[in-house]
Amino acid sequence: MDDFFTTDGQQQQQEDTPANAPLAERLRPQGLNDVVGQDHLVGKDGALKRMIVAGKLSSIIFWGPPGTGKTSLARLLANETDLHFHAISAVFSGVADLKKVFAEAEQRQRIGKQTLLFVDEIHRFNRSQQDSFLPYVEKGTVILVGATTENPSFELNAALLSRTQVLILNRLDSAALDQLLIKAEALKDSPLPVTDEAREALIASADGDGRFLLNQAETLFSLDIAEPLDSAALAKLLHRRMAVYDKDREGHYNLISALHKSLRGSDPQAALYYLARMLVAGEEPLYVLRRIVRFASEDIGLADPQALVQALAAKDAYDFLGSPEGELAIVQACLYCATAPKSNAAYKAQKSAWKSAKQTGSLMPPQNILNAPTALMKDIGYGKGYSYDHESDEGFSGDNYWPEEMNPELFYQPVDRGFEHKVRERLEYWEGLRGKKND
């Protein structure tokens, strides 16, 4: 549940931390200056530093990846402001637990002691449970500090968000992670038994999670390793942490957005990277294919009609081959779409046409283009005066096909790129013929 990180020569254990506690626990920061990788919050001009200097701590939601120090920051805030610290996890707590916490906080408030209530995984509480915090936050019974790995704007009530300040924690970069290893080595009074190259690989494997890195380091310290391990030996000994990726949560939408924007921006290298990120993390390949098919229509359209063909062919190939062989077809479709000329003319045309259809209701088409399957319909003029385009010069009659109560509208406007350049020339040619007929 806890996140623990240190820096700046901090080697002293907390008095209540057993010597056999996990390494991450023993390296818990003793002050805000000991926190690694979050200078934008705890530095001289950081939000948390300003709150403490002003002596005014507001309710906070810490939003950030796992292992970046959310719990440690909450504990430090309580220490710095002399608040009673009480921690619960939304995973293991229910309504009864919350009532007990609030009752105890009210008792402390009566004797002048305020409570900092830390709620880990706060997004796991349902809407009504989140609402239960509101009166106690408003009255100042508790200073709420919630921690979440999910986007608060999606997972938390608007009412709760309006009463809290969302502070974002960054994933730890390589420099911050290396600081953790240096402190671990100082505490153990021993260097990590790895080569420089393997050390870099170990840091990369943590994927920004300091707690995970310290757990891996502790494993290495606990083993009897005679010679420093190289990268290959390290990989055999330690498993590599899987990238954080929840298929139904923000990480999923962030990566598919990045893939779509990279395709639209005609960057095949970046598009392939985000495609790999998703598939390596376990995304359903058919979901990715659906997005590529959509992209082929939305962002390429008739600028390259083969893009949609390629995307659908990739779907068929994957259905036929499965993983991993079929994933090459997905790569091919991704690269084709990334390198194709772009146009959203069809997409914009759809939006405009749908809007017009809703506004104009049930206007009748002109009678001359209506079929007349019965004698009565012929008698009242259905189909009368229809021009069969194939019998016209140029195979184009130039007739009006719009309802009489409606002026012609311009929905589809092809761009001057790719195949749509030819389509544009064709439309301009027909418009010229139509103009001559009406002169």
Side-chain angles (χ1 to χ4, degrees), residues 354-405:
W354 263 237
K355 180 179 179 181
S356 180
K358 291 175 181 177
Q359 292 174 342
T360 55
S362 54
L363 296 180
M364 285 287 290
Q367 285 191 341
N368 66 305
I369 65 171
L370 299 179
N371 289 333
T374 68
L376 174 62
M377 296 172 77
K378 288 181 180 178
D379 290 342
I380 61 176
Y382 277 37
K384 184 177 181 180
Y386 172 63
S387 300
Y388 187 55
D389 288 79
H390 295 292
E391 294 178 349
S392 305
D393 293 340
E394 307 290 342
F396 177 80
S397 66
D399 277 358
N400 175 52
Y401 299 98
W402 293 84
E404 292 181 3
E405 304 90 338

Side-chain angles (χ1 to χ4, degrees), residues 415-433:
V415 300
D416 197 20
R417 292 188 294 275
F419 181 73
E420 270 196 330
H421 173 76
K422 296 293 184 182
V423 175
R424 184 175 180 176
E425 289 181 343
R426 196 176 301 157
L427 291 178
E428 291 174 349
Y429 172 71
W430 286 332
E431 190 60 31
L433 292 179

Side-chain angles (χ1 to χ4, degrees), residues 3-134:
D3 306 303
F4 308 115
F5 308 105
T6 63
T7 186
D8 281 355
Q10 182 266 328
Q11 301 179 29
Q12 181 181 359
Q13 294 176 205
Q14 284 188 315
E15 293 180 0
D16 59 348
T17 303
N20 62 351
L23 183 59
E25 174 78 12
R26 297 167 65 190
L27 288 175
R28 182 196 297 272
Q30 302 300 295
L32 290 181
N33 292 335
D34 297 325
V35 175
V36 164
Q38 310 300 340
D39 289 346
H40 65 294
L41 297 180
V42 301
K44 180 180 177 182
D45 297 320
L48 295 180
K49 196 75 169 182
R50 292 200 305 268
M51 286 184 193
I52 291 172
V53 171
K56 181 66 174 177
L57 185 62
S58 62
S59 290
I60 296 168
I61 301 297
F62 285 137
W63 172 29
T68 50
K70 296 184 287 294
T71 305
S72 287
L73 281 174
R75 290 181 179 274
L76 291 172
L77 286 176
N79 291 338
E80 295 278 356
T81 54
D82 195 29
L83 298 177
H84 176 82
F85 181 81
H86 190 107
I88 62 173
S89 170
V91 176
F92 302 111
S93 304
V95 174
D97 301 292
L98 291 176
K99 288 181 177 178
K100 181 180 178 182
V101 169
F102 295 143
E104 293 174 350
E106 285 179 325
Q107 290 178 356
R108 292 189 201 96
Q109 191 177 34
R110 293 189 189 102
I111 61 174
K113 185 73 170 180
Q114 203 170 17
T115 300
L116 187 151
L117 175 60
F118 175 68
V119 183
D120 198 15
E121 305 279 355
I122 192 172
H123 61 277
R124 299 292 188 94
F125 277 137
N126 61 37
R127 300 289 174 173
S128 61
Q129 288 172 317
Q130 291 178 28
D131 284 340
S132 70
F133 289 96
L134 300 179

Side-chain angles (χ1 to χ4, degrees), residues 143-162:
I143 298 295
L144 175 64
V145 177
T148 178
T149 57
E150 303 300 330
N151 191 326
S153 60
F154 296 154
E155 303 295 336
L156 299 184
N157 284 357
L160 185 58
L161 282 176
S162 70

